[in-house]
Amino acid sequence: MVGIKLEDDEVMFLRDFVKKGRKSARELTRARILLLANQQKGDTKIAEILEVGRNTVWRTKKRYREEGFKAP
């Protein structure tokens, strides 16, 4: 599957979003998934790093591809 390539402003937003950490665990996990996917990490590696299922990674990336960037 095609990798994720975030725009610079999206990366800055997500980094700030994660850094503040005042959102739900689900939203923070989605943001981290997108940041790692932007670094061209594979689904299995992202799942291992974040201790989530591969399907969670796959669904998050799929949602980004279909809907574009929205606040997680």
Side-chain angles (χ1 to χ4, degrees):
M1 196 171 257
V2 178
I4 297 289
K5 180 62 181 147
L6 299 172
E7 300 294 328
D8 291 340
D9 60 328
E10 294 173 335
V11 172
M12 289 183 349
F13 175 84
L14 290 172
R15 284 183 181 159
D16 188 52
F17 185 85
V18 169
K19 188 177 182 179
K20 288 182 181 176
R22 295 188 180 136
K23 300 292 182 179
S24 73
R26 178 181 291 167
E27 292 172 319
L28 291 170
T29 299
R30 288 176 181 161
R32 288 182 179 114
I33 288 170
L34 291 175
L35 287 169
L36 288 169
N38 189 56
Q39 296 173 11
Q40 306 307 311
K41 305 270 188 221
D43 291 0
T44 302
K45 187 65 175 172
I46 294 170
E48 288 174 7
I49 291 169
L50 298 177
E51 297 180 347
V52 297
R54 283 187 308 155
N55 281 335
T56 300
V57 175
W58 183 82
R59 281 191 310 269
T60 301
K61 290 169 63 176
K62 181 177 184 268
R63 184 179 298 125
Y64 174 78
R65 282 190 202 95
E66 291 175 351
E67 299 174 15
F69 183 76
K70 297 181 197 174

